[in-house]
């Protein structure tokens, strides 16, 4: 049967070919072609290193190069290679540099070669060609994935200003000075 892999589907993205990508909370990702009514289901298969890394997908992004990126709940980034194949970018290890955290809340273009990645522990700048990372933390004294360091949303304006949404409210990020400025603060 050709249909959605899971009903808990809270993330949607329209790609440049008119397909609707659907991130689910337990059924991986689905690519829906509205013209044909066909669903392509992308589920994690532990026997395949090129399958999607997780079945909980919480962010979707079509970058300036035309690539499809899927952010997972706890297994990092997935780059769609076509034909139900993915490459992966995960948290840094002793063997290779990587993300600061594997929970990916949001993905946004910085420019053609780099992506902003919102994680549960910091804002990451990912150089797609060189596979290098820079990490930025609104609260550098907090070494845990909580509070202001849990970046949940990225907003880049037409003038390339960067705003982030966190557990501790919104911040403006200046890429030149690498400084965060909190926007207002609600005391209750």
């Amino acid at each position: 049967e050709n249909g959605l892999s899971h009903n808990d589907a809270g993330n949607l993205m329209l790609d440049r070919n008119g397909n609707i990508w659907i991130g689910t909370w337990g059924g991986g990702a689905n690519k829906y072609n509205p013209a044909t009514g066909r669903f392509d289901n992308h589920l994690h298969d532990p026997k395949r290193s090129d399958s999607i890394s997780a079945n909980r997908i919480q962010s979707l992004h079509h970058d300036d190069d035309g690539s499809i990126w899927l952010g997972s709940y706890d297994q990092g980034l997935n780059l769609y290679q076509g034909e139900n194949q993915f490459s992966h970018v995960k948290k840094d290890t002793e063997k290779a540099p990587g993300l600061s955290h594997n929970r990916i809340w949001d993905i946004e273009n910085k420019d053609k070669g780099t992506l902003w990645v919102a994680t549960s522990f910091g804002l990451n700048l990912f150089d797609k060609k060189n596979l290098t990372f820079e990490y930025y933390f609104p609260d550098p004294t907090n070494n845990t994935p909580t509070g202001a360091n849990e970046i949940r949303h990225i907003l880049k304006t037409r003038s390339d200003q960067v705003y982030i949404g966190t557990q501790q409210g919104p911040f403006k990020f200046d890429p030149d000075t690498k400084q965060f400025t909190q926007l207002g603060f609600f005391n209750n």
Side-chain angles (χ1 to χ4, degrees):
E1 183 175 333
N2 185 266
L4 191 64
S5 63
H6 199 282
N7 283 332
D8 192 346
N11 298 291
L12 302 172
M13 179 194 71
L14 182 66
D15 74 18
R16 294 191 185 124
N17 297 320
N19 297 304
I20 299 171
W21 286 78
I22 304 159
T24 74
W25 201 249
N30 296 258
K31 182 173 74 170
Y32 174 67
N33 182 328
T36 65
R38 178 176 168 76
F39 284 89
D40 290 333
N41 306 128
H42 303 286
L43 298 162
H44 175 65
D45 181 350
K47 296 176 185 160
R48 288 185 42 226
S49 64
D50 66 349
S51 78
I52 196 168
S53 67
N55 284 328
R56 290 182 176 180
I57 302 300
Q58 67 180 55
S59 54
L60 311 158
H61 182 68
H62 199 160
D63 75 12
D64 286 342
D65 294 327
S67 298
I68 304 288
W69 294 88
L70 308 175
S72 73
Y73 168 73
D74 62 356
Q75 294 297 318
L77 280 171
N78 294 270
L79 173 59
Y80 182 59
Q81 303 288 347
E83 303 301 318
N84 201 22
Q85 295 180 340
F86 295 84
S87 59
H88 309 109
V89 179
K90 294 191 176 186
K91 186 176 182 308
D92 65 327
T93 64
E94 291 178 15
K95 295 179 184 176
L99 298 160
S100 61
H101 197 278
N102 276 329
R103 186 169 191 180
I104 310 301
W105 287 90
D106 198 9
I107 309 160
E108 182 60 63
N109 298 315
K110 178 183 187 291
D111 52 41
K112 199 154 179 76
T114 54
L115 295 173
W116 292 113
V117 181
T119 77
S120 279
F121 188 54
L123 179 65
N124 292 208
L125 183 59
F126 172 44
D127 182 318
K128 298 180 289 184
K129 180 181 177 186
N130 298 312
L131 302 178
T132 57
F133 298 83
E134 294 176 23
Y135 313 115
Y136 304 100
F137 303 96
D139 183 3
T141 62
N142 178 3
N143 292 324
T144 64
T146 59
N149 288 337
E150 184 168 81
I151 315 292
R152 293 190 175 177
H153 190 76
I154 304 166
L155 173 69
K156 189 180 93 169
T157 68
R158 288 185 182 158
S159 59
D160 292 330
Q161 294 181 353
V162 177
Y163 294 87
I164 59 166
T166 78
Q167 262 190 339
Q168 296 295 314
F171 288 78
K172 181 178 181 181
F173 177 69
D174 184 330
D176 295 326
T177 65
K178 302 180 181 2
Q179 297 295 309
F180 291 91
T181 305
Q182 191 161 20
L183 304 179
F185 191 74
F186 176 73
N187 288 322
N188 55 354

